[in-house]
């Protein structure tokens, strides 16, 4: 089955710092790749996605590029804000009727003013 | 539009008691998922339904857990009897028809504490 490895947190950054959260995966075939975000006290919500190699997903200033050759989907943001403090989950999805996302363990990000 | 609605948001109970968690998926969605989140194990898929039928319950930890979906707009997750190790946040999520895309819509979760 699919699996994912995320960099361990917590990650603490000052406001306006550059963010990278590493994610590598193993999956059957050519999965779609997702980043979900969980703000304190809330459920997960989709942040961005990419469905094929070399695609770049982007949303709210975050970006991630589907790298098939390195099986990676690293999340980046050029200038983080306090409001970005949350837990971030990487998730490959092989589909094919499985209906099952494989979530990483999550990386907690804290941004301090 | 209303999102996925879960109740209760918080539940504190004593070991041995029955717990029922409820979920109303987004109208028109036909797949529903129950997840459990703990610090130690992260997010675990417990069960998912498609068109009200349980498709995969292999994640249900043991017979104390049961889930039902009597109609397209309601599902329950029941734990009986509850144990302290069941303490976790339980999330419900749904997807629309043709939603075999990996995009899940989550509720805000039910935080369960078993004393």
């Amino acid at each position: 089955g699919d699996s994912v490895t995320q960099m361990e947190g917590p990650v603490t950054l000052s406001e306006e710092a550059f963010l990278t959260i590493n994610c590598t995966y193993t999956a059957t075939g050519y999965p779609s790749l997702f980043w979900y975000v969980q703000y304190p006290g809330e459920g997960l919500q989709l942040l961005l996605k990419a469905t094929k190699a070399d695609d770049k997903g982007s949303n709210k200033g975050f970006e991630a590029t589907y790298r098939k050759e390195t099986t990676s989907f690293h999340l980046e943001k050029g200038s983080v804000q306090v409001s970005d403090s949350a837990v971030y989950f990487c998730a490959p999805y092989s589909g094919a009727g499985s209906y099952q996302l494989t979530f990483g363990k999550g990386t907690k990000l804290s941004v301090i003013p | 539009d209303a999102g996925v609605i879960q109740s209760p948001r918080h539940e504190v109970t004593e070991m041995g008691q029955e717990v029922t968690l409820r979920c109303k998926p987004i109208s028109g969605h036909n797949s529903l998922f129950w997840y459990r989140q703990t610090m130690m194990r992260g997010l675990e898929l417990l069960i998912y339904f498609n068109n009200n039928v349980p498709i995969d319950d292999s994640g249900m930890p043991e017979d104390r857990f049961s889930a039902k979906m009597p109609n397209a707009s309601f599902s329950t997750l029941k734990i009986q009897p509850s144990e302290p190790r069941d303490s976790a946040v339980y999330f419900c999520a749904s997807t629309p028809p043709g939603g075999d895309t990996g995009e899940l819509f989550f509720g805000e979760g039910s935080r369960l504490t078993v004393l």
Side-chain angles (χ1 to χ4, degrees), chain B:
Chain B
D1 287 342
V4 175
I5 299 172
Q6 292 187 244
S7 65
R9 290 295 312 276
H10 301 275
E11 172 95 4
V12 179
T13 190
E14 293 190 346
M15 184 173 63
Q17 296 298 306
E18 177 180 296
V19 173
T20 299
L21 308 178
R22 298 172 177 79
C23 175
K24 177 179 170 55
I26 294 172
S27 178
H29 284 196
N30 71 335
S31 290
L32 183 142
F33 305 76
W34 282 101
Y35 283 87
R36 178 171 67 177
Q37 185 179 40
T38 61
M39 290 291 290
M40 290 296 293
R41 300 170 72 96
L43 272 165
E44 303 173 278
L45 177 64
L46 301 178
I47 186 171
Y48 80 88
F49 296 84
N50 185 246
N51 293 323
N52 312 337
V53 176
I55 302 300
D56 185 352
D57 65 355
S58 60
M60 296 286 263
E62 49 199 275
D63 292 344
R64 297 185 297 107
F65 286 69
S66 62
K68 294 182 179 179
M69 192 164 186
N71 57 61
S73 59
F74 184 66
S75 177
T76 59
L77 178 67
K78 185 177 291 187
I79 308 172
Q80 181 182 21
S82 58
E83 297 182 2
R85 61 194 167 117
D86 302 330
S87 297
V89 182
Y90 291 82
F91 288 101
C92 177
S94 67
T95 60
D100 186 13
T101 63
E103 297 188 41
L104 298 179
F105 297 79
F106 282 81
E108 294 191 321
S110 294
R111 180 176 294 277
L112 172 65
T113 302
V114 183
L115 303 175

Side-chain angles (χ1 to χ4, degrees), chain A residues 34 36 38 49 93 97 99-100, chain B residues 33 56 100-104:
Chain A
F34 296 81
Y36 278 79
Q38 184 179 25
K49 68 176 183 180
Y93 181 71
Y99 282 86
Q100 293 194 36
Chain B
F33 305 76
D56 185 352
D100 186 13
T101 63
E103 297 188 41
L104 298 179

